Amino acid sequence: MGMSVTISAAAEADAEQILKLQYLCYQGEAELYGDYSIEPLTQSLDSIRAELTSGTVLVARLGDEVVASVRGTVDAEGTARIGKLIVHPRMQRHGLGGRLLDAVEQRLGAGGSAKCFRLDSGHRSEQNLQLYRKHGYAPVSTQYVNERLTRITLAKDVQADAFVTSA
């Protein structure tokens, strides 16, 4: 009966499922901050397709269904930025977000160009902040956005031996 969740690179054909999942997952964030105009809820399908070609996008599948996703890029200075880590509400609190975070770190760090990982979270998103702290991230800055939102940037260094594979 039980199917296992697999993590892989997203394909262009996944764009629509990612967009729908993103819309579902960010409803809680929008409610938490009282702002339904946040970028994940207004992002277009074409914009997601562009992200598929310009960065690293991973998906977790349960059968043919995309149940989680994450995106990342590495800039010229070696900062790997991770964003839009989403997990279907029925799949949350089972370790999938952590598995996806580990997988995107592996992908972004594998080429050796990433020196550190960075991600952002809102100050009220305690479950997200808990996950990031559990995976070694620490706050490095805060930015007051408005009376509803303070953005917290968290980071961790890439460990040199973390991406070495054994023969």
Side-chain angles (χ1 to χ4, degrees), residues 4-147:
S4 62
V5 174
T6 58
I7 296 174
S8 62
E12 187 177 332
D14 297 323
E16 193 170 331
Q17 281 193 71
I18 293 169
L19 180 64
K20 288 177 181 177
L21 180 62
Q22 177 176 300
Y23 190 82
L24 173 67
C25 290
Y26 274 94
Q27 294 298 313
E29 292 291 300
E31 182 178 350
L32 190 59
Y33 295 99
D35 184 358
Y36 287 84
S37 67
I38 58 176
E39 190 268 344
L41 295 181
T42 61
Q43 187 175 18
S44 70
L45 183 57
D46 286 340
S47 174
I48 287 180
R49 285 186 178 125
E51 287 179 348
L52 287 167
T53 61
S54 66
T56 298
V57 181
L58 301 180
V59 293
R61 298 177 202 283
L62 184 61
D64 292 333
E65 180 187 6
V66 172
V67 294
S69 180
V70 66
R71 296 171 220 174
T73 59
V74 180
D75 67 19
E77 290 78 43
T79 300
R81 300 202 179 275
I82 298 171
K84 294 184 181 144
L85 174 59
I86 54 175
V87 177
H88 193 288
R90 77 173 189 274
M91 302 292 291
Q92 291 176 5
R93 312 298 292 167
H94 297 287
L96 185 52
R99 283 181 55 202
L100 215 55
L101 186 57
D102 290 344
V104 77
E105 288 175 1
Q106 281 282 103
R107 289 280 174 106
L108 297 173
S113 60
K115 295 176 178 48
C116 71
F117 299 110
R118 286 189 180 256
L119 45 78
D120 295 312
S121 181
H123 71 287
R124 294 181 186 159
S125 302
E126 193 50 47
Q127 285 184 353
N128 297 346
L129 292 167
Q130 224 173 16
L131 171 69
Y132 303 146
R133 285 191 298 265
K134 181 179 174 184
H135 284 264
Y137 287 83
V140 293
S141 68
T142 58
Q143 176 191 9
Y144 175 83
V145 176
N146 58 41
E147 66 279 351

